[in-house]
Amino acid sequence: MDVRSITIEMVRSYAQACADVHLCIERLRTSGYDLLVIPSRGASPFVDGAWSYAHALRNEKYADFDPAAPRLKPIEELYVPFTADVADDFPIPSSVIRRYWSRVVAAMVRRDGHDPALQFHLFLRSLSGELATGSTNIKGGGSGRFIFIDTVVSGRAVCEIADAFAQQGVVQCHYIFLIDEAGRRLKPEYRQKIDALVAAGTATKILVDRIFTEDEGPAMSGIWTVTFPVLMLKAQNMIEGLEDAVGAGLYYHEVAKRRDRSNSAITVSNGILGTMLFAAVRGSDDSAARFLEKFQHHVSGSGLQGQDVTEWIADPLIMANLPAVANTIVSGSHVLRAQMSESDAQKIVASFLDQQALSPKPNL
């Protein structure tokens, strides 16, 4: 979506969805849900906007610096790269990749350090230097209850994930579905599955006029996604237990300006977007409209929706932290597909297998 086509009406709808996310999370917390799993870049700005709404609510009801005012208590967040963005001719289907990530989350929630899917994910993070951001040592979810928030366009991704969780015996997950274009793009078979989850009380639908952050890359979320197609294929062939559920990917957050200022444009875009949403959730239309104009001018002027710009900003950090990566290919949705030789991928998997043979299983 061209950033110049975003309207203030879209921003209002987006802000209302942020408010609805906050209210839904708070309702679920009263029932013991203490972990929020965020599997997509598109969902992240809604989570940030929900937090802005929580601040706005607090500021409306309590004087600044009032010692009697309740403290805001954000829910624990777990970012996991569920993306199945691969080339059209890639031999591993999206359902297999999403099954892998569902296994990773299920193992984390169960504190099951023996699951090979989780072990391989932790191993890849251990090789990723500064790109291994965010903790995997979660405190929440121990009761089996967690919230899973995702954006929905056709419905395919969330239905594959829900099916995979069901196969893992995950029965206390509550889904928050942020549905683009108020559901007009949902495919009938996926709409039926989503409606069944809602009817069963295990999902909440939040309709959005237009999710203008979806698949627009780090300019909208500050989250960079890296997948490793060749490594995925080697892992599937070499690691017992990953034959029908395999993945290899990373999320990393990078918003703060680098010393060389090479990511300044991303830093600015995320700052303006966050301020715009904060104004919108407070109902300050005039302020939101001014920041929308600034956002559109900055993103279009900086070329941040171009795949070549995403690659130019991302590559130095990726190459500095992942020496086996030869180059990256940026997909239409701004996912970075890290390319490596088959021999390097085989060495990485062999190193993982050697480590598993020599090391005690991790405790979570």
Side-chain angles (χ1 to χ4, degrees), residues 329-352:
I329 296 172
V330 181
S331 75
S333 60
H334 294 258
V335 170
L336 295 143
R337 299 171 184 164
Q339 306 299 305
M340 63 179 65
S341 68
E342 289 193 16
S343 62
D344 281 339
Q346 185 167 336
K347 288 176 185 176
I348 290 172
V349 177
S351 178
F352 167 73

Side-chain angles (χ1 to χ4, degrees), residues 6 8 58 82 102 128 134 194 228 245-246 258-259 294 353:
I6 301 171
I8 191 62
R58 180 182 183 276
F82 269 74
S102 297
S128 302
I194 289 169
F228 302 85
V246 69
R258 299 173 187 168
R259 289 184 179 180
K294 289 182 179 180
L353 294 172

